[in-house]
Amino acid sequence: MKIYNTLSKSKEEFVPLEEGKVKMYVCGPTVYNFIHIGNARPMIVFDTVRRYFEYKGYDVNYVSNFTDVDDKIIKKAIEEGVTAEEISKRYIAECKKDMEGLNVKPATKHPLATEEICGMVDMIQSLIDKGYAYEKNGTVYYRTRKFKDYGKLSHKNLDDLQSGGRSLLVTGEDEKEDPLDFVLWKPKKEGEPAWESPWSDGRPGWHIECSEMSKKYLGEQIDIHAGGEDLIFPHHENEIAQSEAANGKEFAKYWMHNGFLNIDNRKMSKSLGNFFTVREISEKYDLQVLRFFMLSAHYRSPLNFSAELMEAAKNGLNRIVTAAENLKFLMGSAKTVTMTEEERQKYEASSQYAASFEKAMDDDFNTADAIAAVFDYVKYINTNVGQDSSKEFLERLYGRLSTLTDVLGIIVDRKEEMLDADIEALIEERQAARKEKNFARADAIREELLAKGIILEDTREGVKWKRA
Ligand code: AMP
Ligand code: ZN
């Protein structure tokens, strides 16, 4: 299995640190608004990477943070006259809803920066003790030139950085020993959330957050560290400098970066204002279509968002879902149970599509080619099944299809599409209807949910539900 490593700028064979296990950390979003579909790209891509490792039998420990303290969060809180915590809590909850819609698995752990400050303070202290950091007027800076490998990820040269150094100087930071030095801890300004530290009441810099959370939940060395390509410099470069200086070991073996989601060939971003939120897209499309669209390109290539490409993704996804539905339909009316010899041979022959799928995924997660293999398999299914097929043959073909689509995080069984949040909203509406003695509506909602495989149970503690 080969992974393109930004460190070496080449595809390398994946060798885990510990046999059968993968430790991966994916930089998560800063939560001050609904996520946009550009932010969704790394979520979908690295969730697919995780799913493929799991398919291959690895035990994956997947950690992805929420950056819940940041200038933008504070600004938004001031605008709304609420606390920064209220803003970050709200948008973490909204982000999790979007992730569910995109069928992105919850991480093994989603740490919050604000809950890990103690560890960050300890890490900064150890960097000071080792001579890699220094304090000036309550601010702590990283002594960039002291870390000999600085630039190894972004392939930047310190002297080139130095000549552009003026732009690295931010107002109030002219006390730095060197323009290349970056902030590990900054003192609070009036009205900002702050934590105690030996240097000042303040908050950590963004880069130290990930170094600490990765160490705490995955250990000093991890297999994969990932994020969008805009994070290579300075975020990931700085994370390497911090972690490797503090721990004295190589931080991550493989660095993976997704390309940008563009619109009119420009990066989609909040600051440019050229973005669609995942929520907006969900009003027009099933989010499965968005997921399928993202996986139709290689994760390192730029991807241009357009209505035409979304329509193409919708049609492609439909072909797969229709084949699955047809198999289910035939299973329901199959006359014979066990496979014939001919069917057994056909089923065995169809393993070539799973092999092509794996070959594509083994080559740096080439989901575009993996999807092509799924399409070929769908074509094979459609031409080889019919009224006379045995139930076993149909079930096996279906099993293989759903195994492959599950790696891509695509749901072919429509019943599973109902989201927890939608179920809960309907339950709430049913409660309200009952309160207003509108029993007809309340019963209709119960029926509607039942038809989608959701069973309601009225208990003393309230309404409970389960999937049939
Ligand atoms: P942020 O909230 O800006 O820190 O971004 C969260 C994640 O989304 C990071 O991994 C970014 O690299 C990624 N990201 C942001 N915008 C885009 C985009 N237009 N295309 C792809 N990835 C993006
Ligand atoms: Zn990070």
Side-chain angles (χ1 to χ4, degrees):
M1 189 171 176
K2 286 202 153 55
I3 298 186
Y4 181 90
N5 190 349
T6 307
L7 261 181
S8 63
K9 286 183 153 178
S10 63
K11 285 185 196 169
E12 294 175 22
E13 190 59 34
F14 178 72
V15 183
L17 286 165
E18 208 180 315
E19 210 183 308
K21 296 195 171 163
V22 179
K23 289 184 253 189
M24 68 187 284
Y25 186 96
V26 180
C27 291
T30 307
V31 277
Y32 64 101
N33 212 327
F34 288 95
I35 57 162
H36 63 68
I37 57 176
N39 301 134
R41 191 171 188 196
M43 288 178 185
I44 294 166
V45 159
F46 298 116
D47 176 64
T48 306
V49 167
R50 170 199 189 160
R51 285 167 180 268
Y52 188 60
F53 275 121
E54 287 174 346
Y55 166 86
K56 291 277 223 175
Y58 286 96
D59 175 10
V60 185
N61 193 346
Y62 188 100
V63 176
S64 188
N65 67 299
F66 285 112
T67 296
D68 63 343
V69 56
D70 173 87
D71 288 343
K72 293 180 212 120
I73 301 174
I74 295 167
K75 184 166 168 262
K76 177 100 171 180
I78 293 167
E79 277 165 20
E80 286 196 18
V82 297
T83 62
E85 195 186 351
E86 194 172 328
I87 297 290
S88 60
K89 282 226 162 87
R90 183 197 304 161
Y91 291 111
I92 287 171
E94 298 297 352
C95 178
K96 285 187 174 171
K97 279 190 211 162
D98 289 338
M99 284 167 65
E100 199 187 337
L102 292 164
N103 201 23
V104 169
K105 287 188 183 190
T108 318
K109 173 77 190 171
H110 281 291
L112 304 185
T114 55
E115 290 177 0
E116 310 291 347
I117 307 277
C118 270
M120 295 172 203
V121 168
D122 289 348
M123 196 175 218
I124 296 170
Q125 187 60 55
S126 88
L127 287 169
I128 294 176
D129 295 344
K130 291 182 173 168
Y132 284 97
Y134 57 94
E135 184 252 351
K136 284 265 170 80
N137 302 319
T139 303
V140 183
Y141 297 99
Y142 188 93
R143 196 171 268 131
T144 302
R145 277 185 188 277
K146 172 138 174 107
F147 183 68
K148 294 290 168 261
D149 281 338
Y150 197 83
K152 72 174 171 180
L153 181 71
S154 52
H155 308 281
K156 285 184 194 291
N157 170 313
L158 275 186
D159 295 322
D160 291 347
L161 284 172
Q162 181 78 75
S163 61
R166 280 187 177 279
S167 59
L168 293 173
L169 270 183
V170 178
T171 328
E173 287 188 3
D174 37 3
E175 60 196 9
K176 290 199 281 190
E177 287 175 2
D178 186 316
L180 292 176
D181 296 350
F182 60 89
V183 172
L184 298 172
W185 184 268
K186 54 184 154 196
K188 72 167 183 183
K189 295 197 200 100
E190 192 54 36
E192 286 186 351
W195 290 262
E196 274 180 17
S197 82
W199 320 290
S200 59
D201 283 359
R203 59 189 161 104
W206 172 37
H207 318 302
I208 198 78
E209 294 177 7
C210 290
S211 280
E212 166 55 21
M213 292 186 278
S214 177
K215 177 178 165 182
K216 177 158 174 194
Y217 293 101
L218 295 170
E220 291 179 346
Q221 279 189 297
I222 66 172
D223 294 289
I224 299 172
H225 196 113
E229 67 182 12
D230 53 335
L231 300 188
I232 298 173
F233 186 85
H235 187 53
H236 287 164
E237 194 69 66
N238 290 355
E239 279 190 45
I240 291 176
Q242 296 162 158
S243 296
E244 298 193 356
N247 307 329
K249 304 191 166 111
E250 186 183 34
F251 179 26
K253 274 178 83 177
Y254 305 90
W255 288 82
M256 294 180 72
H257 295 98
N258 64 272
F260 288 143
L261 180 73
N262 293 332
I263 194 156
D264 300 325
N265 297 312
R266 290 180 78 191
K267 179 193 172 194
M268 185 176 286
S269 77
K270 294 229 172 83
S271 52
L272 290 172
N274 59 349
F275 64 89
F276 292 110
T277 62
V278 171
R279 207 54 66 84
E280 279 168 324
I281 296 300
S282 76
E283 285 161 14
K284 273 188 96 179
Y285 292 96
D286 181 337
L287 288 180
Q288 289 279 296
V289 176
L290 183 63
R291 181 167 184 128
F292 196 69
F293 158 76
M294 296 274 189
L295 297 178
S296 64
H298 191 275
Y299 74 91
R300 282 188 288 118
S301 310
L303 176 60
N304 215 35
F305 181 79
S306 71
E308 296 82 66
L309 286 175
M310 282 294 281
E311 284 303 315
K314 188 176 165 184
N315 294 336
L317 180 60
N318 233 343
R319 261 161 64 202
I320 299 171
V321 172
T322 307
E325 281 179 344
N326 187 38
L327 284 174
K328 280 213 132 176
F329 174 76
L330 292 172
M331 273 183 240
S333 57
K335 289 184 218 73
T336 48
V337 177
T338 45
M339 285 203 277
T340 61
E341 179 54 25
E342 192 194 346
E343 286 179 333
R344 200 188 54 74
Q345 282 174 12
K346 280 190 174 169
Y347 177 69
E348 268 174 21
S350 77
S351 67
Q352 62 167 300
Y353 302 106
S356 315
F357 180 94
E358 286 189 22
K359 189 166 170 255
M361 292 298 279
D362 281 343
D363 181 16
D364 191 31
F365 307 96
N366 191 334
T367 52
D369 285 359
I371 287 174
V374 173
F375 281 141
D376 289 343
Y377 181 48
V378 160
K379 210 159 139 198
Y380 183 82
I381 291 172
N382 292 342
T383 47
N384 283 290
V385 300
Q387 306 280 347
D388 298 330
S389 302
S390 70
K391 195 163 182 208
E392 188 185 2
F393 181 51
L394 297 165
E395 276 174 355
R396 291 220 183 171
L397 289 174
Y398 183 90
R400 176 168 285 147
L401 181 62
S402 72
T403 303
L404 298 183
T405 51
D406 192 50
V407 171
L408 301 172
I410 295 298
I411 300 167
V412 286
D413 187 349
R414 283 197 196 273
K415 208 168 64 196
E416 285 175 30
E417 272 179 25
M418 195 146 196
L419 304 181
D420 289 5
D422 293 339
I423 296 167
E424 271 145 26
L426 275 173
I427 292 176
E428 241 172 64
E429 194 193 331
R430 177 170 169 266
Q431 293 300 82
R434 282 176 25 157
K435 236 186 188 162
E436 290 163 9
K437 303 215 180 314
N438 182 354
F439 297 113
R441 176 68 190 137
D443 286 346
I445 291 174
R446 175 190 277 277
E447 290 301 313
E448 184 186 335
L449 285 168
L450 192 62
K452 288 180 175 154
I454 310 298
I455 300 168
L456 300 188
E457 199 188 333
D458 294 305
T459 71
R460 254 176 230 237
E461 296 84 47
V463 183
K464 293 198 173 138
W465 62 269
K466 60 176 185 204
R467 292 182 198 270

